[in-house]
Amino acid sequence: MTGRGTPSRFLAAVLHNGVGRYVRQLQRLQLVFSPAAPDARGARQFVEEAALDFARRHPDVVLYISPRSCPAPLLLAEYLNGTVREELIASKTSEEIAQLATKLANQSGLDIIRIRKPFHTANPSVQGQWHPFTNKPTVLTVRGPRLPPQ
Amino acid sequence: MATGLLLRASRRLLAAAGAGAGAGRGAHGLPPRHNKKRWLRAYLEQQRLQAPPQRRSEKPNWDYHAEIQAFSHRLHENFSLELLKTAFVNSCYIKAEEARRQGLGVDKEAVALNLQDNTKLSEQGESFSRSYLTQCFEGAYPNLPAKGIGALVDFLTSQELVSYVAQNLSVQDLTLCAEFPVPPRVLQRTFFAVIGALLHSSGPEKTEIFVRDFLIPQLIGKDLFEIWELINPMGLLVEELTKRNISSPEPRITRQSGVSTVLPVYFVGLYCDKKIIAEGPGETLLAAEEEAARVALRKLYGYTENRRPWDYSKPKQGWAVEKAISSN
Protein backbone atom coordinates (compact mmCIF):
# COMPACT_ATOMS: atom_id res chain seq x y z
CA MET A 1 0.00 0.00 0.00
CA THR A 2 1.08 3.63 0.22
CA GLY A 3 3.54 5.14 2.65
CA ARG A 4 0.75 6.86 4.58
CA GLY A 5 -1.47 3.81 4.68
CA THR A 6 1.11 1.53 6.31
CA PRO A 7 3.06 2.23 9.51
CA SER A 8 6.64 3.44 9.27
CA ARG A 9 9.46 4.27 11.66
CA PHE A 10 12.87 5.94 11.69
CA LEU A 11 16.11 4.01 11.78
CA ALA A 12 16.92 3.38 15.43
CA ALA A 13 18.83 1.04 17.68
CA VAL A 14 17.56 -0.25 20.99
CA LEU A 15 19.55 1.52 23.76
CA HIS A 16 22.05 2.89 21.18
CA ASN A 17 23.27 -0.69 20.68
CA GLY A 18 26.67 -0.77 19.05
CA VAL A 19 27.86 2.60 20.30
CA GLY A 20 29.12 1.13 23.56
CA ARG A 21 29.21 -2.59 22.95
CA TYR A 22 27.12 -4.86 20.77
CA VAL A 23 24.48 -6.81 22.68
CA ARG A 24 22.61 -9.47 20.75
CA GLN A 25 18.97 -8.47 20.88
CA LEU A 26 17.56 -11.97 20.60
CA GLN A 27 16.84 -13.29 24.08
CA ARG A 28 15.33 -16.71 23.54
CA LEU A 29 14.12 -18.96 20.76
CA GLN A 30 11.34 -21.45 21.40
CA LEU A 31 11.06 -24.27 18.88
CA VAL A 32 7.53 -25.69 19.12
CA PHE A 33 6.88 -28.70 16.92
CA SER A 34 4.87 -31.90 16.89
CA PRO A 35 6.78 -35.19 17.17
CA ALA A 36 4.60 -36.92 14.61
CA ALA A 37 3.16 -34.40 12.14
CA PRO A 38 4.52 -34.60 8.58
CA ASP A 39 5.13 -30.87 8.13
CA ALA A 40 7.36 -30.80 11.23
CA ARG A 41 9.89 -33.13 9.62
CA GLY A 42 12.34 -30.31 8.97
CA ALA A 43 11.94 -29.14 12.56
CA ARG A 44 12.68 -32.63 13.91
CA GLN A 45 15.75 -32.90 11.67
CA PHE A 46 16.89 -29.48 12.83
CA VAL A 47 16.58 -30.58 16.46
CA GLU A 48 18.54 -33.76 15.78
CA GLU A 49 21.32 -32.25 13.68
CA ALA A 50 21.74 -28.49 13.85
CA ALA A 51 20.11 -27.21 17.04
CA LEU A 52 23.02 -28.04 19.33
CA ASP A 53 25.43 -26.44 16.92
CA PHE A 54 23.29 -23.30 16.79
CA ALA A 55 23.12 -23.17 20.58
CA ARG A 56 26.92 -23.49 20.86
CA ARG A 57 27.50 -20.75 18.31
CA HIS A 58 25.05 -18.41 20.09
CA PRO A 59 25.68 -18.77 23.84
CA ASP A 60 23.67 -15.65 24.58
CA VAL A 61 20.43 -17.04 23.10
CA VAL A 62 18.48 -19.55 25.20
CA LEU A 63 17.06 -22.24 22.92
CA TYR A 64 13.97 -24.09 24.20
CA ILE A 65 12.84 -27.23 22.39
CA SER A 66 9.25 -28.20 23.14
CA PRO A 67 7.86 -31.16 21.26
CA ARG A 68 4.14 -31.04 21.90
CA SER A 69 1.00 -31.45 19.84
CA CYS A 70 0.47 -28.15 18.10
CA PRO A 71 -1.39 -27.18 14.93
CA ALA A 72 1.77 -26.02 13.14
CA PRO A 73 5.50 -26.00 13.97
CA LEU A 74 6.65 -22.56 15.10
CA LEU A 75 9.82 -20.70 15.91
CA LEU A 76 9.06 -18.08 18.60
CA ALA A 77 11.70 -15.39 18.96
CA GLU A 78 11.67 -13.10 22.02
CA TYR A 79 13.72 -9.93 21.90
CA LEU A 80 15.14 -7.70 24.62
CA ASN A 81 12.68 -4.89 23.97
CA GLY A 82 9.75 -7.29 24.51
CA THR A 83 8.80 -8.08 20.90
CA VAL A 84 7.75 -11.67 20.28
CA ARG A 85 7.95 -12.88 16.69
CA GLU A 86 6.42 -16.12 15.47
CA GLU A 87 7.72 -17.76 12.34
CA LEU A 88 6.08 -20.78 10.77
CA ILE A 89 8.54 -23.52 9.91
CA ALA A 90 6.05 -25.99 8.41
CA SER A 91 7.53 -27.93 5.49
CA LYS A 92 10.89 -26.23 5.74
CA THR A 93 14.13 -28.15 5.55
CA SER A 94 16.62 -28.25 8.38
CA GLU A 95 19.03 -25.88 6.58
CA GLU A 96 16.26 -23.38 5.92
CA ILE A 97 15.29 -23.45 9.60
CA ALA A 98 18.92 -22.91 10.59
CA GLN A 99 19.14 -19.95 8.20
CA LEU A 100 15.92 -18.53 9.61
CA ALA A 101 17.19 -18.91 13.16
CA THR A 102 20.43 -17.10 12.28
CA LYS A 103 18.42 -14.33 10.59
CA LEU A 104 16.27 -13.92 13.72
CA ALA A 105 19.38 -13.90 15.90
CA ASN A 106 20.85 -11.02 13.92
CA GLN A 107 17.71 -8.86 14.04
CA SER A 108 16.77 -6.39 16.71
CA GLY A 109 13.25 -6.56 18.06
CA LEU A 110 12.10 -3.37 16.33
CA ASP A 111 9.10 -3.64 13.99
CA ILE A 112 9.68 -4.80 10.45
CA ILE A 113 7.98 -1.87 8.77
CA ARG A 114 9.06 0.74 6.26
CA ILE A 115 12.13 2.64 7.47
CA ARG A 116 11.75 6.25 6.44
CA LYS A 117 15.44 7.05 6.00
CA PRO A 118 18.38 4.68 5.85
CA PHE A 119 20.36 6.97 8.14
CA HIS A 120 19.92 8.66 11.52
CA THR A 121 22.11 11.02 13.47
CA ALA A 122 21.83 12.99 16.70
CA ASN A 123 24.20 15.75 15.49
CA PRO A 124 23.22 16.51 11.91
CA SER A 125 25.17 19.76 11.70
CA VAL A 126 28.79 20.38 12.65
CA GLN A 127 29.25 24.00 11.57
CA GLY A 128 25.77 24.99 12.67
CA GLN A 129 22.38 24.46 11.06
CA TRP A 130 21.70 26.99 8.30
CA HIS A 131 18.95 29.50 9.02
CA PRO A 132 17.92 32.50 6.91
CA PHE A 133 20.14 34.84 8.92
CA THR A 134 23.36 32.86 8.40
CA ASN A 135 25.93 34.72 6.33
CA LYS A 136 23.88 37.91 6.32
CA PRO A 137 25.33 41.08 7.80
CA THR A 138 23.99 41.99 11.23
CA VAL A 139 22.11 45.15 12.19
CA LEU A 140 25.28 46.41 13.87
CA THR A 141 27.35 46.47 10.67
CA VAL A 142 28.12 50.06 9.88
CA ARG A 143 27.82 50.72 6.17
CA GLY A 144 29.24 54.13 5.48
CA PRO A 145 29.62 56.07 2.20
CA ARG A 146 31.85 54.51 -0.44
CA LEU A 147 35.45 55.54 0.28
CA PRO A 148 37.56 56.80 -2.65
CA PRO A 149 40.11 54.23 -3.91
CA GLN A 150 43.56 54.74 -2.35
CA MET B 1 -34.30 -60.87 0.07
CA ALA B 2 -34.38 -58.50 -2.81
CA THR B 3 -35.70 -55.69 -0.51
CA GLY B 4 -32.88 -56.38 1.93
CA LEU B 5 -30.39 -56.13 -0.92
CA LEU B 6 -32.12 -53.00 -2.12
CA LEU B 7 -32.06 -51.55 1.41
CA ARG B 8 -28.37 -52.27 1.75
CA ALA B 9 -27.72 -50.92 -1.71
CA SER B 10 -29.80 -47.83 -0.96
CA ARG B 11 -27.92 -47.34 2.32
CA ARG B 12 -24.64 -47.71 0.43
CA LEU B 13 -25.89 -45.29 -2.19
CA LEU B 14 -26.96 -42.84 0.51
CA ALA B 15 -23.57 -43.12 2.16
CA ALA B 16 -21.87 -42.69 -1.22
CA ALA B 17 -24.19 -39.78 -1.99
CA GLY B 18 -23.44 -38.28 1.41
CA ALA B 19 -19.70 -38.71 0.89
CA GLY B 20 -20.02 -37.50 -2.67
CA ALA B 21 -22.10 -34.54 -1.51
CA GLY B 22 -19.59 -33.87 1.29
CA ALA B 23 -16.69 -34.08 -1.14
CA GLY B 24 -18.74 -32.02 -3.51
CA ARG B 25 -19.38 -29.42 -0.77
CA GLY B 26 -15.72 -29.46 0.11
CA ALA B 27 -14.81 -29.06 -3.52
CA HIS B 28 -17.24 -26.11 -3.75
CA GLY B 29 -15.64 -24.50 -0.63
CA LEU B 30 -18.65 -24.80 1.68
CA PRO B 31 -17.85 -25.01 5.43
CA PRO B 32 -18.31 -28.32 7.31
CA ARG B 33 -21.30 -28.61 9.52
CA HIS B 34 -19.98 -28.72 13.08
CA ASN B 35 -17.45 -25.85 13.16
CA LYS B 36 -16.47 -23.55 16.04
CA LYS B 37 -18.58 -20.44 16.51
CA ARG B 38 -17.58 -17.45 14.38
CA TRP B 39 -17.07 -15.18 17.37
CA LEU B 40 -14.96 -17.65 19.36
CA ARG B 41 -11.57 -16.67 17.95
CA ALA B 42 -12.15 -12.94 18.49
CA TYR B 43 -13.42 -13.59 22.02
CA LEU B 44 -10.40 -15.70 22.96
CA GLU B 45 -8.08 -13.04 21.55
CA GLN B 46 -9.85 -10.37 23.62
CA GLN B 47 -9.53 -12.51 26.77
CA ARG B 48 -5.84 -12.98 26.08
CA LEU B 49 -5.36 -9.21 25.67
CA GLN B 50 -7.35 -8.36 28.80
CA ALA B 51 -5.51 -10.87 30.98
CA PRO B 52 -3.18 -9.22 33.54
CA PRO B 53 0.51 -9.25 32.58
CA GLN B 54 2.34 -12.32 33.81
CA ARG B 55 5.97 -12.79 34.75
CA ARG B 56 8.03 -14.55 32.10
CA SER B 57 9.01 -17.11 34.73
CA GLU B 58 5.36 -18.14 35.08
CA LYS B 59 4.93 -18.69 31.34
CA PRO B 60 5.99 -21.99 29.72
CA ASN B 61 9.60 -22.57 28.68
CA TRP B 62 11.68 -20.97 31.41
CA ASP B 63 15.02 -22.18 32.75
CA TYR B 64 16.45 -19.74 35.29
CA HIS B 65 20.01 -21.07 35.28
CA ALA B 66 20.22 -21.04 31.48
CA GLU B 67 18.78 -17.53 31.36
CA ILE B 68 21.37 -16.28 33.85
CA GLN B 69 24.18 -17.83 31.84
CA ALA B 70 22.82 -16.32 28.63
CA PHE B 71 22.57 -12.94 30.42
CA SER B 72 26.24 -12.96 31.28
CA HIS B 73 27.22 -14.07 27.75
CA ARG B 74 24.99 -11.43 26.18
CA LEU B 75 26.77 -8.65 28.03
CA HIS B 76 30.17 -10.15 27.11
CA GLU B 77 31.08 -10.31 30.78
CA ASN B 78 32.31 -13.07 33.06
CA PHE B 79 30.06 -12.97 36.08
CA SER B 80 30.38 -15.29 39.03
CA LEU B 81 26.97 -16.95 38.85
CA GLU B 82 26.22 -17.04 42.59
CA LEU B 83 26.90 -13.30 42.91
CA LEU B 84 24.74 -12.64 39.87
CA LYS B 85 21.89 -14.74 41.27
CA THR B 86 22.18 -12.86 44.58
CA ALA B 87 22.06 -9.58 42.67
CA PHE B 88 18.62 -10.41 41.31
CA VAL B 89 17.07 -11.26 44.68
CA ASN B 90 15.17 -8.36 46.22
CA SER B 91 14.17 -8.02 49.84
CA CYS B 92 10.49 -7.65 48.91
CA TYR B 93 10.66 -11.07 47.25
CA ILE B 94 12.17 -12.70 50.34
CA LYS B 95 9.51 -11.19 52.57
CA ALA B 96 6.70 -12.21 50.20
CA GLU B 97 8.05 -15.75 49.89
CA GLU B 98 8.40 -16.19 53.65
CA ALA B 99 4.90 -14.82 54.20
CA ARG B 100 3.55 -17.23 51.59
CA ARG B 101 5.34 -20.19 53.15
CA GLN B 102 4.05 -19.25 56.59
CA GLY B 103 0.58 -18.88 55.15
CA LEU B 104 0.88 -22.38 53.67
CA GLY B 105 1.68 -23.72 57.14
CA VAL B 106 5.28 -24.81 56.58
CA ASP B 107 7.32 -25.25 59.83
CA LYS B 108 9.61 -22.50 61.07
CA GLU B 109 12.94 -23.86 59.79
CA ALA B 110 11.76 -24.28 56.23
CA VAL B 111 10.18 -20.80 56.20
CA ALA B 112 13.51 -18.96 56.41
CA LEU B 113 14.89 -18.81 52.86
CA ASN B 114 18.61 -19.31 52.36
CA LEU B 115 18.77 -16.32 50.07
CA GLN B 116 20.83 -13.19 50.47
CA ASP B 117 19.59 -9.73 49.66
CA ASN B 118 20.95 -7.50 46.94
CA THR B 119 20.98 -4.31 49.04
CA LYS B 120 24.72 -4.40 49.76
CA LEU B 121 25.64 -5.14 46.13
CA SER B 122 23.24 -2.44 44.98
CA GLU B 123 24.76 0.22 47.25
CA GLN B 124 28.26 -0.70 46.15
CA GLY B 125 27.24 -0.64 42.50
CA GLU B 126 25.52 2.73 42.82
CA SER B 127 28.42 4.42 44.62
CA PHE B 128 30.92 2.94 42.16
CA SER B 129 28.91 4.13 39.14
CA ARG B 130 28.49 7.61 40.54
CA SER B 131 32.17 8.01 41.40
CA TYR B 132 33.26 6.64 38.02
CA LEU B 133 30.86 8.86 36.06
CA THR B 134 31.95 11.93 38.06
CA GLN B 135 35.57 11.06 37.30
CA CYS B 136 34.75 10.64 33.58
CA PHE B 137 32.98 13.96 33.28
CA GLU B 138 35.64 15.82 35.24
CA GLY B 139 38.18 14.50 32.78
CA ALA B 140 36.14 15.13 29.65
CA TYR B 141 34.68 18.53 30.51
CA PRO B 142 37.24 20.18 32.80
CA ASN B 143 35.49 23.56 32.61
CA LEU B 144 32.14 22.22 33.74
CA PRO B 145 31.46 23.19 37.38
CA ALA B 146 30.67 20.65 40.07
CA LYS B 147 26.96 21.42 39.98
CA GLY B 148 26.81 20.65 36.28
CA ILE B 149 28.70 17.39 36.69
CA GLY B 150 26.43 16.51 39.60
CA ALA B 151 23.38 17.17 37.43
CA LEU B 152 24.73 14.94 34.64
CA VAL B 153 25.55 12.10 37.06
CA ASP B 154 22.15 12.43 38.74
CA PHE B 155 20.48 12.20 35.35
CA LEU B 156 22.45 9.11 34.36
CA THR B 157 21.77 7.34 37.65
CA SER B 158 18.16 8.49 37.88
CA GLN B 159 15.31 6.03 38.29
CA GLU B 160 13.71 6.44 34.84
CA LEU B 161 16.92 6.14 32.87
CA VAL B 162 18.36 3.21 34.76
CA SER B 163 15.05 1.34 34.81
CA TYR B 164 14.70 1.93 31.05
CA VAL B 165 18.19 0.56 30.44
CA ALA B 166 17.51 -2.40 32.75
CA GLN B 167 14.23 -3.18 31.02
CA ASN B 168 15.87 -3.30 27.62
CA LEU B 169 18.56 -5.63 28.95
CA SER B 170 15.99 -8.19 30.15
CA VAL B 171 16.71 -7.51 33.83
CA GLN B 172 12.95 -7.45 34.41
CA ASP B 173 12.57 -11.12 33.44
CA LEU B 174 15.33 -12.26 35.77
CA THR B 175 14.46 -10.09 38.82
CA LEU B 176 12.86 -11.82 41.75
CA CYS B 177 10.39 -9.31 43.08
CA ALA B 178 7.07 -9.37 44.88
CA GLU B 179 5.18 -7.17 42.39
CA PHE B 180 4.78 -7.49 38.67
CA PRO B 181 5.36 -5.38 36.52
CA VAL B 182 8.52 -4.62 38.44
CA PRO B 183 8.45 -0.99 39.71
CA PRO B 184 11.24 1.30 38.40
CA ARG B 185 12.81 1.71 41.85
CA VAL B 186 13.39 -2.04 42.10
CA LEU B 187 14.75 -2.22 38.56
CA GLN B 188 17.20 0.55 39.36
CA ARG B 189 18.31 -1.25 42.51
CA THR B 190 18.70 -4.53 40.67
CA PHE B 191 20.74 -2.95 37.87
CA PHE B 192 23.12 -1.40 40.39
CA ALA B 193 23.31 -4.75 42.17
CA VAL B 194 24.35 -6.34 38.86
CA ILE B 195 27.08 -3.70 38.57
CA GLY B 196 28.11 -4.52 42.15
CA ALA B 197 28.25 -8.21 41.29
CA LEU B 198 30.42 -7.42 38.27
CA LEU B 199 32.67 -5.32 40.48
CA HIS B 200 33.26 -8.29 42.76
CA SER B 201 33.62 -10.80 39.92
CA SER B 202 35.79 -8.99 37.38
CA GLY B 203 37.32 -6.01 39.12
CA PRO B 204 37.01 -2.24 38.73
CA GLU B 205 38.41 -1.82 35.18
CA LYS B 206 35.88 -4.11 33.55
CA THR B 207 33.08 -2.57 35.58
CA GLU B 208 34.16 0.90 34.48
CA ILE B 209 33.96 -0.18 30.85
CA PHE B 210 30.53 -1.72 31.52
CA VAL B 211 29.17 1.49 33.08
CA ARG B 212 30.65 3.52 30.25
CA ASP B 213 29.12 1.27 27.58
CA PHE B 214 25.59 1.25 28.94
CA LEU B 215 25.03 4.56 30.70
CA ILE B 216 27.00 7.12 28.73
CA PRO B 217 25.31 6.47 25.33
CA GLN B 218 22.09 7.69 26.96
CA LEU B 219 23.53 11.21 26.71
CA ILE B 220 23.49 11.02 22.91
CA GLY B 221 21.23 13.69 21.48
CA LYS B 222 20.71 15.37 24.84
CA ASP B 223 21.52 19.01 25.47
CA LEU B 224 23.31 20.10 28.66
CA PHE B 225 20.57 22.44 29.81
CA GLU B 226 17.86 19.86 29.22
CA ILE B 227 19.53 17.84 31.95
CA TRP B 228 20.79 20.67 34.17
CA GLU B 229 17.97 23.04 35.09
CA LEU B 230 19.33 26.58 35.29
CA ILE B 231 17.29 29.46 36.66
CA ASN B 232 19.63 32.37 35.96
CA PRO B 233 22.00 31.60 33.07
CA MET B 234 23.13 35.25 32.74
CA GLY B 235 24.21 35.38 36.39
CA LEU B 236 26.15 32.13 36.04
CA LEU B 237 27.78 33.43 32.85
CA VAL B 238 28.89 36.63 34.60
CA GLU B 239 30.39 34.53 37.42
CA GLU B 240 32.24 32.29 34.98
CA LEU B 241 33.61 35.26 33.05
CA THR B 242 34.82 37.01 36.20
CA LYS B 243 36.58 33.78 37.18
CA ARG B 244 38.45 33.92 33.87
CA ASN B 245 39.11 37.67 34.19
CA ILE B 246 37.00 38.62 31.20
CA SER B 247 34.80 41.69 31.37
CA SER B 248 31.05 41.29 31.71
CA PRO B 249 29.11 40.73 28.51
CA GLU B 250 27.21 43.50 26.77
CA PRO B 251 24.09 42.32 25.01
CA ARG B 252 23.29 43.84 21.64
CA ILE B 253 20.60 43.04 19.11
CA THR B 254 22.37 41.59 16.09
CA ARG B 255 19.43 40.61 13.94
CA GLN B 256 15.71 41.05 14.18
CA SER B 257 12.75 40.32 12.03
CA GLY B 258 9.00 40.70 12.28
CA VAL B 259 9.21 43.11 15.23
CA SER B 260 5.70 44.46 14.87
CA THR B 261 4.15 41.10 14.05
CA VAL B 262 2.84 38.31 16.21
CA LEU B 263 5.97 36.16 15.65
CA PRO B 264 9.01 38.35 16.06
CA VAL B 265 12.51 36.86 16.14
CA TYR B 266 15.41 38.61 17.82
CA PHE B 267 19.04 37.51 17.76
CA VAL B 268 20.96 38.93 20.72
CA GLY B 269 24.75 38.82 20.67
CA LEU B 270 26.88 38.98 23.82
CA TYR B 271 30.04 41.05 23.43
CA CYS B 272 33.01 40.99 25.83
CA ASP B 273 35.56 43.74 25.07
CA LYS B 274 33.73 44.38 21.81
CA LYS B 275 34.32 40.77 20.69
CA ILE B 276 31.36 38.49 20.25
CA ILE B 277 31.22 35.40 22.45
CA ALA B 278 27.76 34.04 21.65
CA GLU B 279 24.56 34.77 19.79
CA GLY B 280 21.16 33.40 20.60
CA PRO B 281 17.66 33.69 19.11
CA GLY B 282 14.39 34.24 20.89
CA GLU B 283 10.83 35.42 20.48
CA THR B 284 11.23 38.32 22.90
CA LEU B 285 14.36 40.30 23.74
CA LEU B 286 14.60 38.77 27.21
CA ALA B 287 14.24 35.25 25.88
CA ALA B 288 16.88 35.92 23.24
CA GLU B 289 19.29 37.29 25.85
CA GLU B 290 18.79 34.23 28.04
CA GLU B 291 19.34 31.93 25.08
CA ALA B 292 22.52 33.82 24.18
CA ALA B 293 23.75 33.37 27.76
CA ARG B 294 23.06 29.63 27.51
CA VAL B 295 24.93 29.40 24.19
CA ALA B 296 27.87 31.22 25.79
CA LEU B 297 27.86 28.82 28.74
CA ARG B 298 27.79 25.83 26.42
CA LYS B 299 30.81 27.19 24.57
CA LEU B 300 32.66 27.86 27.80
CA TYR B 301 31.98 24.40 29.22
CA GLY B 302 32.79 22.66 25.97
CA TYR B 303 29.42 20.92 25.78
CA THR B 304 28.37 22.18 22.34
CA GLU B 305 26.54 20.03 19.83
CA ASN B 306 29.60 19.77 17.59
CA ARG B 307 31.98 18.62 20.34
CA ARG B 308 34.11 15.52 19.86
CA PRO B 309 32.01 12.40 20.44
CA TRP B 310 32.72 10.22 23.48
CA ASP B 311 35.59 7.80 23.15
CA TYR B 312 34.36 4.20 23.49
CA SER B 313 37.58 2.52 22.38
CA LYS B 314 39.21 -0.15 24.51
CA PRO B 315 41.57 1.43 27.00
CA LYS B 316 45.03 -0.01 26.51
CA GLN B 317 46.71 -0.56 29.86
CA GLY B 318 50.21 -1.01 28.50
CA TRP B 319 49.89 2.10 26.35
CA ALA B 320 51.67 4.44 28.73
CA VAL B 321 54.47 1.89 29.17
CA GLU B 322 54.77 1.36 25.40
CA LYS B 323 54.89 5.08 24.78
CA ALA B 324 57.70 5.45 27.32
CA ILE B 325 59.61 2.59 25.70
CA SER B 326 59.11 3.86 22.12
CA SER B 327 60.13 7.41 23.03
CA ASN B 328 63.45 6.02 24.33
Side-chain angles (χ1 to χ4, degrees):
Chain A
M1 264 245 328
T2 54
R4 280 237 175 141
T6 45
S8 57
R9 64 175 173 96
F10 286 99
L11 187 67
V14 177
L15 275 192
H16 303 284
N17 196 19
V19 174
R21 64 179 69 175
Y22 174 68
V23 171
R24 191 184 293 280
Q25 293 293 310
L26 181 63
Q27 238 186 331
R28 54 188 82 89
L29 263 182
Q30 297 181 38
L31 187 57
V32 171
F33 63 99
S34 151
D39 54 0
R41 186 167 70 108
R44 291 192 289 271
Q45 270 181 336
F46 174 76
V47 168
E48 280 170 24
E49 298 157 16
L52 214 54
D53 194 39
F54 177 84
R56 280 209 191 94
R57 268 182 288 127
H58 301 95
D60 39 11
V61 176
V62 190
L63 182 61
Y64 292 100
I65 311 278
S66 40
R68 56 172 192 236
S69 68
C70 55
L74 282 176
L75 201 52
L76 274 147
E78 284 173 53
Y79 290 92
L80 287 182
N81 61 347
T83 327
V84 179
R85 248 187 92 180
E86 287 181 3
E87 293 275 344
L88 274 183
I89 47 177
S91 312
K92 281 203 162 85
T93 60
S94 170
E95 288 90 25
E96 280 172 16
I97 297 178
Q99 268 176 359
L100 182 60
T102 329
K103 181 183 87 145
L104 288 172
N106 292 331
Q107 281 177 346
S108 80
L110 299 166
D111 306 329
I112 313 277
I113 47 182
R114 178 179 70 95
I115 295 183
R116 292 193 189 195
K117 301 184 198 199
F119 38 81
H120 176 265
T121 170
N123 308 310
S125 163
V126 174
Q127 297 181 20
Q129 178 76 32
W130 183 91
H131 52 82
F133 288 110
T134 325
N135 299 328
K136 284 209 157 59
T138 66
V139 156
L140 304 170
T141 314
V142 173
R143 288 189 293 160
R146 199 194 289 242
L147 293 165
Q150 288 176 353
Chain B
M1 180 74 173
T3 46
L5 277 171
L6 271 172
L7 266 172
R8 261 181 260 145
S10 65
R11 253 190 248 129
R12 249 183 269 131
L13 273 172
L14 257 176
R25 281 161 84 217
H28 284 287
L30 288 169
R33 281 171 59 196
H34 300 289
N35 52 350
K36 298 192 182 128
K37 295 289 177 191
R38 233 182 86 234
W39 47 263
L40 186 62
R41 208 193 219 176
Y43 175 74
L44 287 176
E45 185 66 34
Q46 200 187 38
Q47 296 296 95
R48 240 174 279 144
L49 288 171
Q50 282 173 349
Q54 244 188 336
R55 288 189 180 88
R56 182 66 186 79
S57 39
E58 287 159 15
K59 293 189 194 163
N61 280 334
W62 175 259
D63 181 1
Y64 194 63
H65 186 75
E67 295 279 344
I68 296 249
Q69 278 180 322
F71 181 77
S72 80
H73 278 290
R74 197 178 296 137
L75 301 175
H76 303 285
E77 295 287 351
N78 258 336
F79 281 98
S80 107
L81 291 179
E82 306 93 44
L83 272 178
L84 190 55
K85 287 190 184 177
T86 324
F88 284 117
V89 174
N90 289 295
S91 52
C92 52
Y93 172 77
I94 298 185
K95 283 191 209 116
E97 266 296 302
E98 288 182 352
R100 194 172 70 98
R101 288 187 184 192
Q102 254 182 348
L104 287 171
V106 186
D107 39 285
K108 291 276 174 175
E109 292 147 5
V111 160
L113 284 164
N114 251 345
L115 285 176
Q116 262 190 340
D117 238 335
N118 66 358
T119 33
K120 212 172 62 137
L121 283 173
S122 157
E123 280 157 28
Q124 284 169 345
E126 182 160 8
S127 63
F128 178 84
S129 325
R130 291 186 79 98
S131 63
Y132 171 66
L133 286 171
T134 320
Q135 207 186 352
C136 266
F137 291 135
E138 276 166 6
Y141 308 114
N143 298 321
L144 197 55
K147 267 200 306 188
I149 295 183
L152 283 176
V153 172
D154 282 335
F155 170 71
L156 285 183
T157 52
S158 69
Q159 216 175 326
E160 313 120 43
L161 195 125
V162 175
S163 62
Y164 173 71
V165 170
Q167 198 132 18
N168 281 321
L169 286 177
S170 80
V171 166
Q172 196 185 203
D173 293 339
L174 293 165
T175 330
L176 295 173
C177 175
E179 300 114 38
F180 188 81
V182 185
R185 178 82 190 93
V186 178
L187 274 176
Q188 184 195 20
R189 224 185 313 146
T190 319
F191 189 72
F192 284 133
V194 167
I195 295 181
L198 183 60
L199 187 60
H200 285 284
S201 324
S202 313
E205 287 97 21
K206 287 241 157 178
T207 321
E208 281 177 4
I209 300 175
F210 183 89
V211 171
R212 180 200 73 179
D213 281 344
F214 285 106
L215 290 183
I216 294 189
Q218 302 301 318
L219 284 176
I220 290 175
K222 290 250 173 349
D223 179 39
L224 178 63
F225 297 119
E226 273 176 44
I227 304 170
W228 181 19
E229 301 282 342
L230 264 191
I231 314 167
N232 186 12
M234 195 48 128
L236 187 59
L237 177 65
V238 170
E239 267 180 47
E240 292 286 329
L241 290 175
T242 44
K243 262 191 250 173
R244 291 151 220 256
N245 285 330
I246 308 175
S247 55
S248 338
E250 290 177 18
R252 296 276 185 273
I253 305 177
T254 41
R255 308 160 203 280
Q256 58 184 16
S257 174
V259 169
S260 53
T261 63
V262 117
L263 288 176
V265 65
Y266 298 98
F267 273 76
V268 166
L270 293 177
Y271 289 83
C272 291
D273 290 328
K274 301 206 179 107
K275 287 214 188 73
I276 192 162
I277 53 168
E279 195 183 11
E283 279 219 353
T284 59
L285 280 167
L286 284 171
E289 200 183 319
E290 204 187 297
E291 186 56 39
R294 281 179 204 266
V295 171
L297 283 170
R298 277 190 210 116
K299 280 194 187 159
L300 281 175
Y301 296 149
Y303 206 95
T304 50
E305 214 183 292
N306 57 357
R307 66 186 182 276
R308 212 185 184 99
W310 197 271
D311 184 22
Y312 292 100
S313 54
K314 268 187 267 209
K316 297 167 201 143
Q317 269 97 19
W319 188 63
V321 178
E322 277 167 22
K323 210 175 177 197
I325 293 172
S326 65
S327 67
N328 289 341

